[in-house]
Amino acid sequence: MSFNNLDQLYRQVIMDHYKNPRNKGSIEDGSFTVDMNNPTCGDRIHLTLKVEDGIVQDAKFDGEGCSISMASASMMTQIVKGKEIEEALKLSKIFSDMMQGNDYDDDVDLGDIEALQGVAKFPARIKCATLAWKAMEKGVQEEEQE
Ligand code: FES
């Protein structure tokens, strides 16, 4: 597949998540919720995770933001569901490395997240893409401290 076709495919995946977000909403009996803003634009995410026996049983989000931030939140909730917390944090690290243009473990199946790799070329948008992931990390850290 040529680069242009791949770019186009990635764009379609991002727009599909934006227009048809997976896991939109809130979990009533969630283990924790996190509200986080992107300080550069004020866009926000409200994230709820339900964790049992160290496994993410459910993840939902709500909020307002650009297509990249909302698509990334949709993809993040999709991929962490059913994963161990440690695995979810590992994916977050991989995603962060991908956004910073660092080498990352590409043996892991990243699913739709790969569609966001082009965002790394636009530094102003990196905070959009990482907002949901940072919210997830913050929630897990706060939960572990309790
Ligand atoms: Fe606000 Fe992207 S412009 S999160």
Side-chain angles (χ1 to χ4, degrees):
M1 197 181 292
S2 74
F3 272 126
N4 275 348
N5 286 346
L6 193 60
D7 264 2
Q8 182 130 10
L9 175 72
Y10 283 166
R11 244 193 304 270
Q12 281 171 4
V13 173
I14 293 168
M15 286 318 286
D16 179 48
H17 275 272
Y18 178 54
K19 289 186 177 154
N20 309 295
R22 312 334 183 237
N23 309 308
K24 195 96 193 273
S26 191
I27 307 166
E28 272 187 25
D29 60 343
S31 310
F32 59 83
T33 62
V34 182
D35 287 285
M36 195 175 263
N37 283 342
N38 178 347
T40 55
C41 62
D43 289 343
R44 58 173 195 91
I45 183 169
H46 175 82
L47 178 71
T48 323
L49 250 66
K50 183 169 182 175
V51 181
E52 275 172 12
D53 300 327
I55 298 190
V56 181
Q57 304 288 350
D58 203 359
K60 287 197 188 296
F61 78 99
D62 217 332
E64 286 156 21
C66 64
S67 54
I68 290 174
S69 66
M70 294 294 109
S72 184
S74 172
M75 292 172 188
M76 185 277 285
T77 53
Q78 188 178 45
I79 202 165
V80 301
K81 266 213 247 184
K83 299 256 186 325
E84 290 181 4
I85 279 287
E86 290 310 314
E87 237 177 307
L89 291 175
K90 185 178 169 194
L91 282 164
S92 190
K93 165 85 172 80
I94 289 173
F95 185 66
S96 169
D97 282 337
M98 182 200 282
M99 288 298 103
Q100 326 251 331
N102 298 335
D103 289 340
Y104 58 89
D105 182 357
D106 54 7
D107 287 342
V108 178
D109 180 9
L110 298 174
D112 289 350
I113 294 170
E114 277 189 42
L116 289 167
Q117 61 185 240
V119 174
K121 286 182 261 165
F122 304 97
R125 310 308 302 277
I126 293 173
K127 282 204 171 96
C128 306
T130 55
L131 181 63
W133 295 85
K134 295 235 175 305
M136 188 267 288
E137 283 182 11
K138 182 170 182 247
V140 170
Q141 278 159 9
E142 285 176 357
E143 185 73 1
E144 280 175 350
Q145 279 163 15
E146 277 181 11

